[in-house]
Amino acid sequence: MAESSSQQPRDGSRSSMDRPPSSCKGSPSPLSEDQFLCSICQNVFTDPVSTPCGHDFCMKCIRTFWGDSEQCHCPFCEEKFTKRPELKVNTAFREVVDHFKKKSGLNKPEVLCDVCTGVKQNALKSCLNCVVSFCESHLEPHNNTTRLKKHKLMNPVKNLEDYICQKHERPLELFCNDDKTCVCLFCIEGDHKDHNTVPIEEESGEKKTQLVKTQSEVQQMIQDRLKKIKDIKHSEELRKRNTEKEKADSAELFTALIRSIERSQAELFELMEEKQKAAEKQAEDLIKELEQEITELKRRDTELEQLSHTEDHLHLLQIYPSLCKPPHTKNWTDISIDHRLSVETVRNALSQLQKSLNDTLIETLNGKIRESASAELKRIQQFVVDVTLDSDTAHPKLILSDDGKQVTHGDIEQKLPDNPKRFDRCQCVLGKEGFSSGQFYYAVQVREKTAWTLGVALESINRKGKIKLKPQNGIWAVALRNENEYKARADPSVLLCLRKKLQKVGVFVDYEEGLVSFYDIESRSHIYSFTGQTFTEKLYPYFNPCINDGGKNSAPLIVSPV
């Protein structure tokens, strides 16, 4: 491990995952060794770990620094930790450090001179003929003596015997392509006679070329995984934000509902109070009327009592007809005061309350759904891709524009070369570029059409013969038929109830999530999603403008520009 006693402690405030190796694509500048140094031992990291404050150290270094103490602090920034941090090796960063060590030659084993006595010096070269490693001073005879100059020298290695033929005790100088093994000059005179052999340096050069290619692929894999980590963290952050927003929206919704209930309750109580006052007024009026009739009847009773004892016979006979007439009173038999509140009143009030709550709930939910769908559409549109139609896949009756952005159905079948990619029964066409990872989005104008099908299809979809549109056959699509009949081509198909006729459709795919979603671009609303799918090969944008139908469906499908 490289020594650097004069190296000042680095600023470890950046996260380890933000430090790609110098050879990684997209790096602003090559990274130097000091960016991989532990500020305790001043050597390149071994088993790097991160403290809660974000600084990095070797696992062994930080454990030794802390010892058995429960009260710990960061050696770099002095931040104190109330509880001893539980350290784990940052495996992703360790791979980056190991890659840097390998690229910088920092992980080469130290080879000592075999000739030195006492304190041994580092070897400068190893001699395959002598099978000995020499320091600079002991190597001098090999540079000056004619016979020794012919010896084969190489960079010093510990396992020098591995470079010597065990059978002939001669340097391994050739590579046998027939037996895929290293051989010496004597070997090709015996067991490997007439075999295809080449100098080790030549074969090594070819292998290095292959290794460079493999290394490039590995570096790309590292970049892909670092990007995936970034994407996952970003998605988790978005999920966290969405959760907080949904919680806030839910609180707002329930607050609105509570206010609506309280308002309706107040209105109901007010109505009940009004009914109560009206009933009290009615009772008061009836009592007053009854008291007046009682007063009048008492007066007549007194009058009758007096006349029953009168001696004035003439007067009695004169007023008798009026006394026999029934008094001017109301028939009170069927008149009563209902002590219960009108059931109909309560029912009407409850019905009004329910309607108010439903209207509030529906209006709020619809608003949130529209807002959420609009935000989701805005998010996925960042993954827009430039789709061009592949003429090699187009059915002979389809007519593509010169720029490959429009497709219409023609009544006459064109004479086109038949190839394995071309559809011969299903009148459709695929996009040129396929996708086997990540997320992608494209939009298509469907205005003035009476029928169409859009979605994505597997590369292995059947190109010859009839195709039944469903995921089991490698196609995920939404279709329009009969001018206003929209369906998601699941198994079975799902009828879609849309408020307005679609003018522009967005298609979004998340390959790893197994998600295919469709959106109404004009209203910025969600149409349908296929979820929980498993993709194992390339997906291609899929277009079917459907038959011309005598000109009724002659409008083209148009890929929207990026």
Side-chain angles (χ1 to χ4, degrees):
M1 199 167 286
E3 299 278 341
S4 182
S5 57
S6 62
Q7 175 65 41
Q8 295 297 317
R10 62 184 179 80
D11 181 0
S13 60
R14 290 192 301 164
S15 169
S16 304
M17 293 308 301
D18 292 333
R19 305 190 198 97
S22 59
S23 62
C24 292
K25 296 177 181 178
S27 300
S29 61
L31 297 181
S32 58
E33 181 181 339
D34 65 330
Q35 291 171 291
F36 292 94
L37 296 182
C38 169
S39 60
I40 296 178
C41 67
Q42 291 296 301
N43 289 325
V44 177
F45 289 113
T46 300
D47 292 335
V49 296
S50 299
T51 55
C53 55
H55 296 113
D56 305 317
F57 306 94
C58 301
M59 172 73 86
K60 183 178 180 182
C61 291
I62 191 65
R63 282 183 173 174
T64 302
F65 182 84
W66 285 343
D68 298 330
S69 175
E70 285 297 325
Q71 297 293 327
C72 305
H73 67 274
C74 173
F76 185 81
C77 68
E78 302 294 332
E79 180 176 336
K80 294 182 179 180
F81 310 123
T82 55
K83 182 180 178 182
R84 185 181 180 117
E86 188 175 326
L87 301 175
K88 291 184 179 179
V89 175
N90 187 331
T91 54
F93 185 41
R94 181 173 61 186
E95 290 178 5
V96 175
V97 173
D98 291 344
H99 174 82
F100 174 79
K101 287 180 180 179
K102 184 176 180 181
K103 189 175 182 64
S104 305
L106 298 176
N107 57 349
K108 292 181 180 179
E110 188 179 56
V111 180
L112 301 177
C113 177
D114 293 324
V115 183
C116 286
T117 58
V119 178
K120 291 183 175 292
Q121 300 296 317
N122 287 335
L124 182 63
K125 293 289 182 180
S126 293
C127 177
L128 293 177
N129 297 84
C130 302
V131 195
V132 173
S133 295
F134 298 99
C135 64
E136 185 176 5
S137 59
H138 289 121
L139 184 65
E140 191 173 345
H142 280 73
N143 296 326
N144 300 324
T145 305
T146 302
R147 179 177 62 84
L148 295 179
K149 283 183 179 181
K150 297 179 180 180
H151 284 195
K152 190 172 184 63
L153 300 176
M154 63 180 294
N155 289 330
V157 292
K158 280 190 173 182
N159 53 335
L160 195 53
E161 294 79 8
D162 294 344
Y163 296 80
I164 305 298
C165 176
Q166 299 299 311
K167 184 176 182 180
H168 302 110
E169 296 184 352
R170 300 290 295 175
L172 296 170
E173 300 181 68
L174 302 170
F175 182 80
C176 176
N177 281 301
D178 295 334
D179 295 330
K180 304 299 179 186
T181 186
C182 295
V183 297
C184 70
L185 292 173
F186 288 176
C187 290
I188 61 175
E189 299 297 330
D191 296 340
H192 297 270
K193 189 176 182 180
D194 299 328
H195 283 192
N196 178 20
T197 58
V198 294
I200 283 180
E201 291 80 1
E202 181 180 330
E203 183 66 22
S204 176
E206 292 184 9
K207 291 294 189 289
K208 283 182 180 180
T209 301
Q210 296 176 7
L211 288 175
V212 169
K213 181 180 178 181
T214 302
Q215 183 186 19
S216 177
E217 293 172 352
V218 170
Q219 290 175 355
Q220 186 59 49
M221 289 173 68
I222 292 172
Q223 286 298 299
D224 291 343
R225 281 149 182 76
L226 289 173
K227 182 179 182 300
K228 194 63 180 177
I229 290 173
K230 184 178 179 181
D231 290 344
I232 290 172
K233 288 182 176 179
H234 180 63
S235 297
E236 185 59 30
E237 182 62 28
L238 286 177
R239 188 186 300 274
K240 183 178 179 181
R241 291 179 189 172
N242 289 336
T243 299
E244 293 301 322
K245 187 175 184 302
E246 287 172 7
K247 287 166 65 177
D249 290 345
S250 298
E252 181 182 339
L253 172 61
F254 283 108
T255 300
L257 289 175
I258 290 170
R259 287 175 180 169
S260 179
I261 291 171
E262 289 175 344
R263 183 171 60 252
S264 298
Q265 182 188 46
E267 291 172 356
L268 177 59
F269 286 174
E270 184 179 351
L271 178 61
M272 294 171 70
E273 287 292 334
E274 290 176 358
K275 293 290 184 182
Q276 176 63 26
K277 289 179 180 178
E280 290 176 357
K281 179 67 168 57
Q282 181 188 17
E284 185 180 331
D285 291 343
L286 290 175
I287 291 170
K288 185 176 181 180
E289 189 176 352
L290 283 167
E291 287 177 344
Q292 289 175 350
E293 287 190 3
I294 290 171
T295 300
E296 180 61 28
L297 289 171
K298 284 183 177 180
R299 185 191 63 74
R300 175 170 282 205
D301 179 63
T302 302
E303 186 178 359
L304 289 172
E305 175 66 27
Q306 290 174 353
L307 288 174
S308 66
H309 298 92
T310 184
E311 296 295 333
D312 188 349
H313 303 292
L314 179 61
H315 178 67
L316 174 63
L317 292 173
Q318 287 176 343
I319 67 171
Y320 180 78
S322 63
L323 293 173
C324 290
K325 291 180 180 180
H328 297 291
T329 59
K330 186 182 292 187
N331 183 3
W332 295 91
T333 305
D334 297 327
I335 296 178
S336 64
I337 299 298
D338 192 350
H339 65 279
R340 298 168 299 173
L341 182 64
S342 170
V343 174
E344 192 63 30
T345 300
V346 176
R347 283 179 179 168
N348 290 339
L350 291 177
S351 177
Q352 186 63 34
L353 172 60
Q354 184 177 7
K355 184 178 183 305
S356 176
L357 290 177
N358 287 341
D359 290 346
T360 301
L361 180 60
I362 291 171
E363 181 182 351
T364 305
L365 286 178
N366 284 340
K368 297 305 178 186
I369 290 171
R370 287 193 297 270
E371 183 181 337
S372 177
S374 180
E376 177 66 10
L377 183 58
K378 184 177 180 181
R379 183 188 72 81
I380 67 176
Q381 283 176 334
Q382 67 180 307
F383 300 104
V384 65
V385 293
D386 187 12
V387 175
T388 302
L389 304 178
D390 186 358
S391 59
D392 289 339
T393 67
H395 184 277
K397 284 191 176 181
L398 297 186
I399 302 172
L400 273 59
S401 61
D402 292 339
D403 62 359
K405 301 297 183 181
Q406 301 185 28
V407 57
T408 56
H409 183 274
D411 293 323
I412 301 174
E413 189 165 309
Q414 306 169 79
K415 291 184 179 180
L416 299 174
D418 190 17
N419 62 69
K421 294 172 61 178
R422 190 179 306 284
F423 293 93
D424 65 353
R425 288 284 301 278
C426 184
Q427 300 180 22
C428 58
V429 61
L430 300 181
K432 280 187 177 181
E433 185 180 1
F435 302 88
S436 57
S437 65
Q439 300 165 308
F440 66 93
Y441 165 88
Y442 69 94
V444 182
Q445 179 180 303
V446 296
R447 187 175 289 113
E448 299 179 1
K449 292 194 66 62
T450 60
W452 49 260
T453 304
L454 290 173
V456 291
L458 292 178
E459 185 173 26
S460 62
I461 188 174
N462 181 28
R463 313 294 176 100
K464 311 301 177 184
K466 191 175 181 180
I467 304 172
K468 189 171 182 181
L469 303 180
K470 59 181 181 178
Q472 291 89 327
N473 292 338
I475 184 166
W476 293 261
V478 163
L480 167 66
R481 298 292 184 270
N482 304 320
E483 294 191 34
N484 56 11
E485 184 182 293
Y486 294 95
K487 288 185 178 181
R489 292 299 193 176
D491 190 19
S493 292
V494 178
L495 184 64
L496 304 175
C497 298
L498 305 179
R499 293 184 177 182
K500 295 182 180 179
K501 186 175 178 65
L502 295 175
Q503 304 297 316
K504 186 182 289 188
V505 178
V507 183
F508 171 71
V509 175
D510 189 325
Y511 194 95
E512 282 74 20
E513 288 292 326
L515 173 69
V516 182
S517 294
F518 298 84
Y519 293 86
D520 179 354
I521 305 299
E522 297 294 321
S523 66
R524 303 189 69 78
S525 59
H526 175 258
I527 299 173
Y528 185 82
S529 286
F530 294 90
T531 59
Q533 308 298 305
T534 301
F535 305 128
T536 57
E537 56 182 281
K538 279 189 177 182
L539 288 171
Y540 288 81
Y542 174 94
F543 306 81
N544 186 335
C546 294
I547 60 173
N548 188 295
D549 195 17
K552 293 180 181 178
N553 192 36
S554 60
L557 289 176
I558 304 175
V559 180
S560 296
V562 175

